[in-house]
Amino acid sequence: MGYILGFGIKCAALTLVSAIGIATLSGAVEAAPATSTIDINIYGLRSTKGNVLVCVTANPRFFPDCGKDPKGLKTSISARDAANISFSGIAKGTYAVALVHDENANNKMDMAIFLPKEGFGFSRNPAIVAGPPKFKAAAFEVDAAAVSQRVKMKYML
């Protein structure tokens, strides 16, 4: 009789653990964040030379150069193929995009005194007065399955 009682206790403990495990798994599935895609349509490139450097960040401290942002998304794509770029698996939030048309493919924006020699662009196409825009001027919400930004490249020289 003690054996049956022991067996019954073990079964009850196993059932309790299984129930907790199932509850934890179903809770994890519900808590998984929904992700989105950011589609960037680039227009106004003055040539197909070099690359387009793309930087996407949710952190205002790392805008417009998100090179040191550990969570920033960065890529370089041939200018010939840069009309449309997509980033998927993006968590919902507020983001900003910065682009550089790196015509000589040296992975940086070249300057002539204080003016950029190469093209640039930002999400929401904010007006450029003196220096790059603030994060807030280029920021947009990612709150749907897909969000798109149409970015016009600008050239100072």
Side-chain angles (χ1 to χ4, degrees), residues 52-90:
V52 174
L53 309 177
V54 184
C55 183
V56 180
T57 185
N59 189 332
R61 285 186 19 221
F62 295 108
F63 182 80
D65 179 10
C66 71
K68 294 181 181 175
D69 182 357
K71 295 182 180 179
L73 304 170
K74 303 161 267 297
T75 193
S76 174
I77 188 165
S78 169
R80 287 186 310 276
D81 303 323
N84 294 295
I85 301 169
S86 291
F87 291 92
S88 58
I90 307 296

Side-chain angles (χ1 to χ4, degrees), residues 4-78:
I4 294 174
L5 182 60
F7 182 75
I9 292 171
K10 287 180 187 173
C11 283
L14 184 59
T15 303
L16 180 60
V17 170
S18 294
I20 292 170
I22 291 169
T24 302
L25 287 176
S26 64
V29 170
E30 291 173 18
T35 60
S36 299
T37 299
I38 297 175
D39 295 314
I40 304 167
N41 173 258
I42 302 168
Y43 69 103
L45 286 169
R46 72 176 167 196
S47 75
T48 56
K49 290 189 223 170
N51 301 312
V52 174
L53 309 177
V54 184
C55 183
V56 180
T57 185
N59 189 332
R61 285 186 19 221
F62 295 108
F63 182 80
D65 179 10
C66 71
K68 294 181 181 175
D69 182 357
K71 295 182 180 179
L73 304 170
K74 303 161 267 297
T75 193
S76 174
I77 188 165
S78 169

